[in-house]
Amino acid sequence: MVNYNWSVFFSMFRANLKEYTRDILPFLFSFIMPVFFIVAYGVSKNGTQTEQAFSANVAIIGSANDTAKIEEKLKDFTLFKIQVINSIESADTLIASGKYQAVVSVLENSTPQVASTSQYLNVATLIKKTLQGEVMTHASSTDIPTRVVSDNRIAGLDYSFAAILSLSLLQVALFGTAAPVVTAKEKGLYRLFKIIPVPRMGLLGAQVAVRFFVSMLQLLVLTAIAVFVFNVPVKYPVTFIMVISCAALTLVNYGYAIAGFFNRMSMASAFLIVLNFYCIFFGQMFSDINGSSWQLLVYTTPVGFISEALHYATTGYASMFTIFQSMTGMLIYLLVSCFIGIRFFSFEPGKA
């Protein structure tokens, strides 16, 4: 009986794979478009020089009491955009992230230290002059040292690679999972599966497995192109494999959860298009909204957690969440999506 069930499952898997690959639209959105982004970013990777910033993003790290004093002092200058970082990243890592031009490190009972690259050494000098003479610490000397770090900022394709992978997964979830499932329900195709001697969970499992398999295959091909053709670094390979596996499973189930609320594609299509742009804008993908008035919207979809986890795995730096927080967020969305998908899935076109 067990062998029979597995035989039916693999038959369903093959049938769903053929059905999925017949529709060219999800393939265009989830694979061809990310390949275009990788090539476009990759070609210009070594040919684009970063312009000198008219304003400088300055991170302050260290003990709370002293960081508050320094933040208050630097806020007097409109040139500086200040952010206090409550994480364990070093100044070198923060500057390498490409988001900050200078970092002020504040150690308890010692003089602050300003770090920057040679390109933005004038910013570090201005910070030093601004803070010079202020009694910020318990140290006897108020001379503030300046440290020049190597100019190995993560930018271009190296930084955007995580966002491109997130975009690929998002398209599989919305246009490769939710849209086809709603269409199949609307046409009544799922009623045919009632005659197949396989439990409803077996049908759902086969469909999820197909899309998980396709997602992982596409991500690995995209990664191979980025790494071997354009020399994109993946700082933590083991973490990277773990993240893309969890991310693919989460977003595929997320797509099924969305499909459970719709029975007509006319209603679902508009929602999916809006949700696609919403996730791109507020999913920590191509722009970092941490510290802005919009940052709470990152929690409203799983994409922000996935983007942050992928940024960490590829660059070693994540702006809003630690890797533990990102994985926890993904797991929560995975469990909720599984529950909703199972609860609202129906063979009948007119039932939710």
Side-chain angles (χ1 to χ4, degrees), residues 6 9-18 20 172 176-177 201-217 245 248-250 252-253 256:
W6 276 111
F9 174 83
F10 284 120
S11 296
M12 293 295 301
F13 181 91
R14 289 192 295 270
N16 279 285
L17 184 59
K18 290 179 182 179
Y20 183 87
V172 172
T177 301
M201 288 299 297
L203 171 61
L204 288 173
Q207 294 203 7
V208 169
V210 164
R211 286 160 174 81
F212 175 77
F213 171 77
V214 171
S215 297
M216 289 298 294
L217 183 61
S245 300
L249 192 60
T250 299
V252 168
N253 282 278
Y256 271 97

PDB file of all heavy atoms in Angstrom, residues 6 9-18 20 172 176-177 201-217 245 248-250 252-253 256:
ATOM      1  N   TRP A   6       3.169   5.923  -3.024  1.00  0.00           N
ATOM      2  CA  TRP A   6       4.311   6.640  -3.578  1.00  0.00           C
ATOM      3  C   TRP A   6       4.258   6.666  -5.094  1.00  0.00           C
ATOM      4  O   TRP A   6       4.621   7.643  -5.735  1.00  0.00           O
ATOM      5  CB  TRP A   6       5.623   6.012  -3.110  1.00  0.00           C
ATOM      6  CG  TRP A   6       6.061   6.509  -1.770  1.00  0.00           C
ATOM      7  CD1 TRP A   6       6.104   5.821  -0.606  1.00  0.00           C
ATOM      8  CD2 TRP A   6       6.524   7.830  -1.468  1.00  0.00           C
ATOM      9  NE1 TRP A   6       6.552   6.622   0.421  1.00  0.00           N
ATOM     10  CE2 TRP A   6       6.825   7.859  -0.085  1.00  0.00           C
ATOM     11  CE3 TRP A   6       6.709   8.987  -2.220  1.00  0.00           C
ATOM     12  CZ2 TRP A   6       7.298   8.997   0.558  1.00  0.00           C
ATOM     13  CZ3 TRP A   6       7.186  10.134  -1.581  1.00  0.00           C
ATOM     14  CH2 TRP A   6       7.470  10.126  -0.207  1.00  0.00           C
ATOM     15  N   PHE A   9       1.864   9.260  -5.998  1.00  0.00           N
ATOM     16  CA  PHE A   9       2.463  10.575  -5.727  1.00  0.00           C
ATOM     17  C   PHE A   9       3.405  10.989  -6.859  1.00  0.00           C
ATOM     18  O   PHE A   9       3.341  12.118  -7.355  1.00  0.00           O
ATOM     19  CB  PHE A   9       3.224  10.550  -4.401  1.00  0.00           C
ATOM     20  CG  PHE A   9       3.996  11.811  -4.115  1.00  0.00           C
ATOM     21  CD1 PHE A   9       3.369  12.922  -3.564  1.00  0.00           C
ATOM     22  CD2 PHE A   9       5.349  11.912  -4.415  1.00  0.00           C
ATOM     23  CE1 PHE A   9       4.065  14.093  -3.309  1.00  0.00           C
ATOM     24  CE2 PHE A   9       6.059  13.073  -4.166  1.00  0.00           C
ATOM     25  CZ  PHE A   9       5.410  14.164  -3.606  1.00  0.00           C
ATOM     26  N   PHE A  10       4.279  10.092  -7.289  1.00  0.00           N
ATOM     27  CA  PHE A  10       5.226  10.431  -8.350  1.00  0.00           C
ATOM     28  C   PHE A  10       4.510  10.641  -9.685  1.00  0.00           C
ATOM     29  O   PHE A  10       4.946  11.453 -10.505  1.00  0.00           O
ATOM     30  CB  PHE A  10       6.293   9.350  -8.477  1.00  0.00           C
ATOM     31  CG  PHE A  10       7.331   9.414  -7.394  1.00  0.00           C
ATOM     32  CD1 PHE A  10       7.534   8.348  -6.536  1.00  0.00           C
ATOM     33  CD2 PHE A  10       8.109  10.551  -7.222  1.00  0.00           C
ATOM     34  CE1 PHE A  10       8.487   8.418  -5.522  1.00  0.00           C
ATOM     35  CE2 PHE A  10       9.072  10.626  -6.224  1.00  0.00           C
ATOM     36  CZ  PHE A  10       9.253   9.556  -5.365  1.00  0.00           C
ATOM     37  N   SER A  11       3.414   9.916  -9.904  1.00  0.00           N
ATOM     38  CA  SER A  11       2.619  10.145 -11.112  1.00  0.00           C
ATOM     39  C   SER A  11       2.013  11.544 -11.082  1.00  0.00           C
ATOM     40  O   SER A  11       2.010  12.263 -12.093  1.00  0.00           O
ATOM     41  CB  SER A  11       1.515   9.095 -11.222  1.00  0.00           C
ATOM     42  OG  SER A  11       2.061   7.802 -11.382  1.00  0.00           O
ATOM     43  N   MET A  12       1.512  11.941  -9.886  1.00  0.00           N
ATOM     44  CA  MET A  12       0.977  13.282  -9.721  1.00  0.00           C
ATOM     45  C   MET A  12       2.069  14.329  -9.877  1.00  0.00           C
ATOM     46  O   MET A  12       1.845  15.406 -10.444  1.00  0.00           O
ATOM     47  CB  MET A  12       0.315  13.416  -8.349  1.00  0.00           C
ATOM     48  CG  MET A  12      -0.938  12.578  -8.168  1.00  0.00           C
ATOM     49  SD  MET A  12      -2.258  13.111  -9.267  1.00  0.00           S
ATOM     50  CE  MET A  12      -2.446  14.809  -8.771  1.00  0.00           C
ATOM     51  N   PHE A  13       3.246  14.009  -9.379  1.00  0.00           N
ATOM     52  CA  PHE A  13       4.381  14.938  -9.488  1.00  0.00           C
ATOM     53  C   PHE A  13       4.706  15.186 -10.962  1.00  0.00           C
ATOM     54  O   PHE A  13       4.873  16.340 -11.386  1.00  0.00           O
ATOM     55  CB  PHE A  13       5.594  14.363  -8.751  1.00  0.00           C
ATOM     56  CG  PHE A  13       6.805  15.258  -8.782  1.00  0.00           C
ATOM     57  CD1 PHE A  13       7.029  16.182  -7.782  1.00  0.00           C
ATOM     58  CD2 PHE A  13       7.718  15.182  -9.829  1.00  0.00           C
ATOM     59  CE1 PHE A  13       8.142  17.005  -7.807  1.00  0.00           C
ATOM     60  CE2 PHE A  13       8.832  16.002  -9.868  1.00  0.00           C
ATOM     61  CZ  PHE A  13       9.050  16.914  -8.852  1.00  0.00           C
ATOM     62  N   ARG A  14       4.807  14.119 -11.752  1.00  0.00           N
ATOM     63  CA  ARG A  14       5.123  14.271 -13.172  1.00  0.00           C
ATOM     64  C   ARG A  14       4.029  15.033 -13.904  1.00  0.00           C
ATOM     65  O   ARG A  14       4.308  15.884 -14.759  1.00  0.00           O
ATOM     66  CB  ARG A  14       5.340  12.894 -13.806  1.00  0.00           C
ATOM     67  CG  ARG A  14       6.625  12.201 -13.371  1.00  0.00           C
ATOM     68  CD  ARG A  14       6.911  10.995 -14.243  1.00  0.00           C
ATOM     69  NE  ARG A  14       5.885   9.954 -14.068  1.00  0.00           N
ATOM     70  CZ  ARG A  14       5.957   8.984 -13.170  1.00  0.00           C
ATOM     71  NH1 ARG A  14       7.006   8.912 -12.354  1.00  0.00           N
ATOM     72  NH2 ARG A  14       5.011   8.072 -13.082  1.00  0.00           N
ATOM     73  N   ALA A  15       2.772  14.727 -13.571  1.00  0.00           N
ATOM     74  CA  ALA A  15       1.654  15.415 -14.226  1.00  0.00           C
ATOM     75  C   ALA A  15       1.660  16.909 -13.904  1.00  0.00           C
ATOM     76  O   ALA A  15       1.460  17.751 -14.795  1.00  0.00           O
ATOM     77  CB  ALA A  15       0.340  14.783 -13.787  1.00  0.00           C
ATOM     78  N   ASN A  16       1.917  17.250 -12.643  1.00  0.00           N
ATOM     79  CA  ASN A  16       1.954  18.664 -12.246  1.00  0.00           C
ATOM     80  C   ASN A  16       3.156  19.384 -12.841  1.00  0.00           C
ATOM     81  O   ASN A  16       3.079  20.576 -13.150  1.00  0.00           O
ATOM     82  CB  ASN A  16       1.971  18.783 -10.719  1.00  0.00           C
ATOM     83  CG  ASN A  16       0.591  18.631 -10.107  1.00  0.00           C
ATOM     84  OD1 ASN A  16      -0.232  19.531 -10.174  1.00  0.00           O
ATOM     85  ND2 ASN A  16       0.330  17.469  -9.514  1.00  0.00           N
ATOM     86  N   LEU A  17       4.271  18.665 -12.987  1.00  0.00           N
ATOM     87  CA  LEU A  17       5.455  19.272 -13.595  1.00  0.00           C
ATOM     88  C   LEU A  17       5.189  19.619 -15.057  1.00  0.00           C
ATOM     89  O   LEU A  17       5.570  20.695 -15.533  1.00  0.00           O
ATOM     90  CB  LEU A  17       6.643  18.324 -13.480  1.00  0.00           C
ATOM     91  CG  LEU A  17       7.990  18.849 -13.995  1.00  0.00           C
ATOM     92  CD1 LEU A  17       8.394  20.113 -13.242  1.00  0.00           C
ATOM     93  CD2 LEU A  17       9.064  17.787 -13.881  1.00  0.00           C
ATOM     94  N   LYS A  18       4.526  18.713 -15.767  1.00  0.00           N
ATOM     95  CA  LYS A  18       4.176  18.990 -17.166  1.00  0.00           C
ATOM     96  C   LYS A  18       3.217  20.168 -17.251  1.00  0.00           C
ATOM     97  O   LYS A  18       3.334  21.032 -18.123  1.00  0.00           O
ATOM     98  CB  LYS A  18       3.556  17.753 -17.802  1.00  0.00           C
ATOM     99  CG  LYS A  18       4.533  16.608 -18.036  1.00  0.00           C
ATOM    100  CD  LYS A  18       3.831  15.417 -18.654  1.00  0.00           C
ATOM    101  CE  LYS A  18       4.809  14.258 -18.849  1.00  0.00           C
ATOM    102  NZ  LYS A  18       4.132  13.061 -19.425  1.00  0.00           N
ATOM    103  N   TYR A  20       2.920  22.629 -15.094  1.00  0.00           N
ATOM    104  CA  TYR A  20       3.622  23.865 -14.716  1.00  0.00           C
ATOM    105  C   TYR A  20       4.485  24.378 -15.866  1.00  0.00           C
ATOM    106  O   TYR A  20       4.503  25.582 -16.146  1.00  0.00           O
ATOM    107  CB  TYR A  20       4.485  23.607 -13.482  1.00  0.00           C
ATOM    108  CG  TYR A  20       5.202  24.843 -12.973  1.00  0.00           C
ATOM    109  CD1 TYR A  20       4.576  25.709 -12.083  1.00  0.00           C
ATOM    110  CD2 TYR A  20       6.494  25.145 -13.396  1.00  0.00           C
ATOM    111  CE1 TYR A  20       5.220  26.851 -11.626  1.00  0.00           C
ATOM    112  CE2 TYR A  20       7.152  26.277 -12.936  1.00  0.00           C
ATOM    113  CZ  TYR A  20       6.514  27.127 -12.059  1.00  0.00           C
ATOM    114  OH  TYR A  20       7.153  28.252 -11.616  1.00  0.00           O
ATOM    115  N   VAL A 172       7.589  33.001  -8.562  1.00  0.00           N
ATOM    116  CA  VAL A 172       7.107  31.626  -8.484  1.00  0.00           C
ATOM    117  C   VAL A 172       5.886  31.545  -7.566  1.00  0.00           C
ATOM    118  O   VAL A 172       4.903  30.855  -7.870  1.00  0.00           O
ATOM    119  CB  VAL A 172       8.216  30.679  -7.981  1.00  0.00           C
ATOM    120  CG1 VAL A 172       7.647  29.284  -7.707  1.00  0.00           C
ATOM    121  CG2 VAL A 172       9.348  30.580  -8.994  1.00  0.00           C
ATOM    122  N   GLY A 176       3.498  31.686 -10.487  1.00  0.00           N
ATOM    123  CA  GLY A 176       3.734  30.278 -10.770  1.00  0.00           C
ATOM    124  C   GLY A 176       2.957  29.357  -9.855  1.00  0.00           C
ATOM    125  O   GLY A 176       2.862  28.157 -10.109  1.00  0.00           O
ATOM    126  N   THR A 177       2.397  29.911  -8.778  1.00  0.00           N
ATOM    127  CA  THR A 177       1.633  29.091  -7.834  1.00  0.00           C
ATOM    128  C   THR A 177       0.215  29.624  -7.658  1.00  0.00           C
ATOM    129  O   THR A 177      -0.760  28.965  -8.016  1.00  0.00           O
ATOM    130  CB  THR A 177       2.338  29.039  -6.467  1.00  0.00           C
ATOM    131  OG1 THR A 177       3.654  28.502  -6.637  1.00  0.00           O
ATOM    132  CG2 THR A 177       1.566  28.149  -5.496  1.00  0.00           C
ATOM    133  N   MET A 201      -4.099  15.660   0.754  1.00  0.00           N
ATOM    134  CA  MET A 201      -2.745  16.069   1.148  1.00  0.00           C
ATOM    135  C   MET A 201      -1.714  15.568   0.147  1.00  0.00           C
ATOM    136  O   MET A 201      -0.677  16.195  -0.073  1.00  0.00           O
ATOM    137  CB  MET A 201      -2.428  15.534   2.549  1.00  0.00           C
ATOM    138  CG  MET A 201      -3.186  16.239   3.661  1.00  0.00           C
ATOM    139  SD  MET A 201      -2.791  18.000   3.737  1.00  0.00           S
ATOM    140  CE  MET A 201      -1.052  17.908   4.127  1.00  0.00           C
ATOM    141  N   GLY A 202      -1.982  14.401  -0.462  1.00  0.00           N
ATOM    142  CA  GLY A 202      -1.069  13.891  -1.483  1.00  0.00           C
ATOM    143  C   GLY A 202      -1.054  14.775  -2.713  1.00  0.00           C
ATOM    144  O   GLY A 202       0.010  15.037  -3.298  1.00  0.00           O
ATOM    145  N   LEU A 203      -2.237  15.247  -3.115  1.00  0.00           N
ATOM    146  CA  LEU A 203      -2.320  16.168  -4.247  1.00  0.00           C
ATOM    147  C   LEU A 203      -1.600  17.470  -3.944  1.00  0.00           C
ATOM    148  O   LEU A 203      -0.799  17.967  -4.752  1.00  0.00           O
ATOM    149  CB  LEU A 203      -3.792  16.455  -4.572  1.00  0.00           C
ATOM    150  CG  LEU A 203      -4.045  17.576  -5.588  1.00  0.00           C
ATOM    151  CD1 LEU A 203      -3.421  17.242  -6.926  1.00  0.00           C
ATOM    152  CD2 LEU A 203      -5.547  17.826  -5.735  1.00  0.00           C
ATOM    153  N   LEU A 204      -1.871  18.045  -2.776  1.00  0.00           N
ATOM    154  CA  LEU A 204      -1.202  19.287  -2.383  1.00  0.00           C
ATOM    155  C   LEU A 204       0.306  19.090  -2.277  1.00  0.00           C
ATOM    156  O   LEU A 204       1.090  19.931  -2.713  1.00  0.00           O
ATOM    157  CB  LEU A 204      -1.769  19.784  -1.049  1.00  0.00           C
ATOM    158  CG  LEU A 204      -3.183  20.355  -1.074  1.00  0.00           C
ATOM    159  CD1 LEU A 204      -3.673  20.640   0.330  1.00  0.00           C
ATOM    160  CD2 LEU A 204      -3.237  21.606  -1.922  1.00  0.00           C
ATOM    161  N   GLY A 205       0.700  17.948  -1.690  1.00  0.00           N
ATOM    162  CA  GLY A 205       2.126  17.665  -1.539  1.00  0.00           C
ATOM    163  C   GLY A 205       2.830  17.579  -2.880  1.00  0.00           C
ATOM    164  O   GLY A 205       3.956  18.077  -3.040  1.00  0.00           O
ATOM    165  N   ALA A 206       2.190  16.942  -3.874  1.00  0.00           N
ATOM    166  CA  ALA A 206       2.780  16.821  -5.199  1.00  0.00           C
ATOM    167  C   ALA A 206       2.931  18.190  -5.857  1.00  0.00           C
ATOM    168  O   ALA A 206       3.953  18.486  -6.485  1.00  0.00           O
ATOM    169  CB  ALA A 206       1.935  15.900  -6.069  1.00  0.00           C
ATOM    170  N   GLN A 207       1.927  19.045  -5.708  1.00  0.00           N
ATOM    171  CA  GLN A 207       1.992  20.375  -6.314  1.00  0.00           C
ATOM    172  C   GLN A 207       3.058  21.238  -5.644  1.00  0.00           C
ATOM    173  O   GLN A 207       3.806  21.957  -6.316  1.00  0.00           O
ATOM    174  CB  GLN A 207       0.621  21.044  -6.229  1.00  0.00           C
ATOM    175  CG  GLN A 207      -0.439  20.355  -7.065  1.00  0.00           C
ATOM    176  CD  GLN A 207      -1.580  21.286  -7.429  1.00  0.00           C
ATOM    177  OE1 GLN A 207      -1.529  22.483  -7.177  1.00  0.00           O
ATOM    178  NE2 GLN A 207      -2.605  20.737  -8.037  1.00  0.00           N
ATOM    179  N   VAL A 208       3.127  21.174  -4.319  1.00  0.00           N
ATOM    180  CA  VAL A 208       4.160  21.931  -3.599  1.00  0.00           C
ATOM    181  C   VAL A 208       5.547  21.414  -3.981  1.00  0.00           C
ATOM    182  O   VAL A 208       6.480  22.196  -4.203  1.00  0.00           O
ATOM    183  CB  VAL A 208       3.939  21.828  -2.081  1.00  0.00           C
ATOM    184  CG1 VAL A 208       5.153  22.378  -1.325  1.00  0.00           C
ATOM    185  CG2 VAL A 208       2.688  22.591  -1.666  1.00  0.00           C
ATOM    186  N   ALA A 209       5.692  20.096  -4.079  1.00  0.00           N
ATOM    187  CA  ALA A 209       6.988  19.503  -4.413  1.00  0.00           C
ATOM    188  C   ALA A 209       7.458  19.951  -5.790  1.00  0.00           C
ATOM    189  O   ALA A 209       8.650  20.221  -5.995  1.00  0.00           O
ATOM    190  CB  ALA A 209       6.896  17.972  -4.349  1.00  0.00           C
ATOM    191  N   VAL A 210       6.547  20.014  -6.766  1.00  0.00           N
ATOM    192  CA  VAL A 210       6.906  20.451  -8.113  1.00  0.00           C
ATOM    193  C   VAL A 210       7.443  21.875  -8.090  1.00  0.00           C
ATOM    194  O   VAL A 210       8.505  22.169  -8.647  1.00  0.00           O
ATOM    195  CB  VAL A 210       5.685  20.367  -9.064  1.00  0.00           C
ATOM    196  CG1 VAL A 210       5.928  21.172 -10.344  1.00  0.00           C
ATOM    197  CG2 VAL A 210       5.403  18.915  -9.414  1.00  0.00           C
ATOM    198  N   ARG A 211       6.737  22.758  -7.431  1.00  0.00           N
ATOM    199  CA  ARG A 211       7.144  24.165  -7.423  1.00  0.00           C
ATOM    200  C   ARG A 211       8.387  24.384  -6.568  1.00  0.00           C
ATOM    201  O   ARG A 211       9.202  25.255  -6.872  1.00  0.00           O
ATOM    202  CB  ARG A 211       5.968  25.030  -6.951  1.00  0.00           C
ATOM    203  CG  ARG A 211       4.904  25.158  -8.032  1.00  0.00           C
ATOM    204  CD  ARG A 211       3.549  25.568  -7.524  1.00  0.00           C
ATOM    205  NE  ARG A 211       2.632  25.810  -8.633  1.00  0.00           N
ATOM    206  CZ  ARG A 211       1.983  24.856  -9.290  1.00  0.00           C
ATOM    207  NH1 ARG A 211       2.129  23.580  -8.922  1.00  0.00           N
ATOM    208  NH2 ARG A 211       1.185  25.147 -10.310  1.00  0.00           N
ATOM    209  N   PHE A 212       8.541  23.607  -5.505  1.00  0.00           N
ATOM    210  CA  PHE A 212       9.774  23.676  -4.718  1.00  0.00           C
ATOM    211  C   PHE A 212      10.952  23.209  -5.560  1.00  0.00           C
ATOM    212  O   PHE A 212      12.021  23.844  -5.549  1.00  0.00           O
ATOM    213  CB  PHE A 212       9.640  22.820  -3.466  1.00  0.00           C
ATOM    214  CG  PHE A 212      10.902  22.734  -2.646  1.00  0.00           C
ATOM    215  CD1 PHE A 212      11.293  23.791  -1.840  1.00  0.00           C
ATOM    216  CD2 PHE A 212      11.710  21.604  -2.693  1.00  0.00           C
ATOM    217  CE1 PHE A 212      12.460  23.731  -1.088  1.00  0.00           C
ATOM    218  CE2 PHE A 212      12.871  21.527  -1.953  1.00  0.00           C
ATOM    219  CZ  PHE A 212      13.249  22.593  -1.148  1.00  0.00           C
ATOM    220  N   PHE A 213      10.778  22.126  -6.288  1.00  0.00           N
ATOM    221  CA  PHE A 213      11.844  21.597  -7.157  1.00  0.00           C
ATOM    222  C   PHE A 213      12.236  22.617  -8.221  1.00  0.00           C
ATOM    223  O   PHE A 213      13.421  22.886  -8.443  1.00  0.00           O
ATOM    224  CB  PHE A 213      11.375  20.290  -7.805  1.00  0.00           C
ATOM    225  CG  PHE A 213      12.285  19.781  -8.878  1.00  0.00           C
ATOM    226  CD1 PHE A 213      13.476  19.142  -8.561  1.00  0.00           C
ATOM    227  CD2 PHE A 213      11.949  19.935 -10.227  1.00  0.00           C
ATOM    228  CE1 PHE A 213      14.322  18.678  -9.562  1.00  0.00           C
ATOM    229  CE2 PHE A 213      12.782  19.477 -11.228  1.00  0.00           C
ATOM    230  CZ  PHE A 213      13.978  18.843 -10.893  1.00  0.00           C
ATOM    231  N   VAL A 214      11.239  23.208  -8.888  1.00  0.00           N
ATOM    232  CA  VAL A 214      11.508  24.198  -9.934  1.00  0.00           C
ATOM    233  C   VAL A 214      12.193  25.430  -9.341  1.00  0.00           C
ATOM    234  O   VAL A 214      13.138  25.970  -9.928  1.00  0.00           O
ATOM    235  CB  VAL A 214      10.209  24.591 -10.656  1.00  0.00           C
ATOM    236  CG1 VAL A 214      10.444  25.769 -11.598  1.00  0.00           C
ATOM    237  CG2 VAL A 214       9.651  23.403 -11.437  1.00  0.00           C
ATOM    238  N   SER A 215      11.721  25.867  -8.174  1.00  0.00           N
ATOM    239  CA  SER A 215      12.321  27.049  -7.520  1.00  0.00           C
ATOM    240  C   SER A 215      13.793  26.809  -7.201  1.00  0.00           C
ATOM    241  O   SER A 215      14.653  27.653  -7.485  1.00  0.00           O
ATOM    242  CB  SER A 215      11.560  27.380  -6.240  1.00  0.00           C
ATOM    243  OG  SER A 215      10.228  27.730  -6.501  1.00  0.00           O
ATOM    244  N   MET A 216      14.095  25.670  -6.606  1.00  0.00           N
ATOM    245  CA  MET A 216      15.475  25.359  -6.234  1.00  0.00           C
ATOM    246  C   MET A 216      16.352  25.242  -7.477  1.00  0.00           C
ATOM    247  O   MET A 216      17.496  25.723  -7.493  1.00  0.00           O
ATOM    248  CB  MET A 216      15.527  24.064  -5.430  1.00  0.00           C
ATOM    249  CG  MET A 216      14.946  24.178  -4.032  1.00  0.00           C
ATOM    250  SD  MET A 216      15.847  25.363  -2.991  1.00  0.00           S
ATOM    251  CE  MET A 216      17.447  24.539  -2.850  1.00  0.00           C
ATOM    252  N   LEU A 217      15.835  24.618  -8.525  1.00  0.00           N
ATOM    253  CA  LEU A 217      16.608  24.481  -9.762  1.00  0.00           C
ATOM    254  C   LEU A 217      16.919  25.846 -10.351  1.00  0.00           C
ATOM    255  O   LEU A 217      18.057  26.127 -10.752  1.00  0.00           O
ATOM    256  CB  LEU A 217      15.822  23.628 -10.763  1.00  0.00           C
ATOM    257  CG  LEU A 217      16.524  23.319 -12.092  1.00  0.00           C
ATOM    258  CD1 LEU A 217      17.800  22.538 -11.844  1.00  0.00           C
ATOM    259  CD2 LEU A 217      15.597  22.548 -13.022  1.00  0.00           C
ATOM    260  N   SER A 245      16.559  27.080   0.564  1.00  0.00           N
ATOM    261  CA  SER A 245      15.645  25.941   0.721  1.00  0.00           C
ATOM    262  C   SER A 245      14.418  26.352   1.526  1.00  0.00           C
ATOM    263  O   SER A 245      13.272  26.082   1.130  1.00  0.00           O
ATOM    264  CB  SER A 245      16.359  24.774   1.405  1.00  0.00           C
ATOM    265  OG  SER A 245      17.467  24.342   0.656  1.00  0.00           O
ATOM    266  N   ALA A 248      12.320  29.015  -0.493  1.00  0.00           N
ATOM    267  CA  ALA A 248      11.523  28.435  -1.575  1.00  0.00           C
ATOM    268  C   ALA A 248      10.284  27.745  -1.019  1.00  0.00           C
ATOM    269  O   ALA A 248       9.165  27.926  -1.527  1.00  0.00           O
ATOM    270  CB  ALA A 248      12.370  27.451  -2.380  1.00  0.00           C
ATOM    271  N   LEU A 249      10.459  26.978   0.041  1.00  0.00           N
ATOM    272  CA  LEU A 249       9.328  26.274   0.646  1.00  0.00           C
ATOM    273  C   LEU A 249       8.313  27.264   1.213  1.00  0.00           C
ATOM    274  O   LEU A 249       7.098  27.076   1.084  1.00  0.00           O
ATOM    275  CB  LEU A 249       9.841  25.338   1.739  1.00  0.00           C
ATOM    276  CG  LEU A 249       8.846  24.308   2.296  1.00  0.00           C
ATOM    277  CD1 LEU A 249       8.352  23.398   1.184  1.00  0.00           C
ATOM    278  CD2 LEU A 249       9.496  23.499   3.400  1.00  0.00           C
ATOM    279  N   THR A 250       8.799  28.326   1.830  1.00  0.00           N
ATOM    280  CA  THR A 250       7.915  29.330   2.426  1.00  0.00           C
ATOM    281  C   THR A 250       7.076  30.042   1.374  1.00  0.00           C
ATOM    282  O   THR A 250       5.848  30.160   1.511  1.00  0.00           O
ATOM    283  CB  THR A 250       8.729  30.362   3.216  1.00  0.00           C
ATOM    284  OG1 THR A 250       9.433  29.713   4.281  1.00  0.00           O
ATOM    285  CG2 THR A 250       7.825  31.441   3.803  1.00  0.00           C
ATOM    286  N   VAL A 252       6.404  29.179  -1.802  1.00  0.00           N
ATOM    287  CA  VAL A 252       5.484  28.301  -2.526  1.00  0.00           C
ATOM    288  C   VAL A 252       4.208  28.102  -1.712  1.00  0.00           C
ATOM    289  O   VAL A 252       3.090  28.204  -2.231  1.00  0.00           O
ATOM    290  CB  VAL A 252       6.147  26.948  -2.847  1.00  0.00           C
ATOM    291  CG1 VAL A 252       5.103  25.939  -3.321  1.00  0.00           C
ATOM    292  CG2 VAL A 252       7.216  27.120  -3.923  1.00  0.00           C
ATOM    293  N   ASN A 253       4.361  27.826  -0.421  1.00  0.00           N
ATOM    294  CA  ASN A 253       3.189  27.672   0.443  1.00  0.00           C
ATOM    295  C   ASN A 253       2.446  28.993   0.614  1.00  0.00           C
ATOM    296  O   ASN A 253       1.210  29.008   0.758  1.00  0.00           O
ATOM    297  CB  ASN A 253       3.610  27.122   1.808  1.00  0.00           C
ATOM    298  CG  ASN A 253       3.865  25.635   1.773  1.00  0.00           C
ATOM    299  OD1 ASN A 253       2.952  24.818   1.858  1.00  0.00           O
ATOM    300  ND2 ASN A 253       5.127  25.256   1.636  1.00  0.00           N
ATOM    301  N   TYR A 256       0.104  29.246  -2.233  1.00  0.00           N
ATOM    302  CA  TYR A 256      -1.098  28.429  -2.034  1.00  0.00           C
ATOM    303  C   TYR A 256      -2.047  29.081  -1.029  1.00  0.00           C
ATOM    304  O   TYR A 256      -3.274  29.004  -1.176  1.00  0.00           O
ATOM    305  CB  TYR A 256      -0.717  27.028  -1.564  1.00  0.00           C
ATOM    306  CG  TYR A 256      -0.471  26.094  -2.713  1.00  0.00           C
ATOM    307  CD1 TYR A 256       0.814  25.847  -3.165  1.00  0.00           C
ATOM    308  CD2 TYR A 256      -1.527  25.473  -3.377  1.00  0.00           C
ATOM    309  CE1 TYR A 256       1.052  25.006  -4.236  1.00  0.00           C
ATOM    310  CE2 TYR A 256      -1.314  24.634  -4.441  1.00  0.00           C
ATOM    311  CZ  TYR A 256      -0.019  24.402  -4.877  1.00  0.00           C
ATOM    312  OH  TYR A 256       0.203  23.586  -5.947  1.00  0.00           O
TER     313      TYR A 256
END
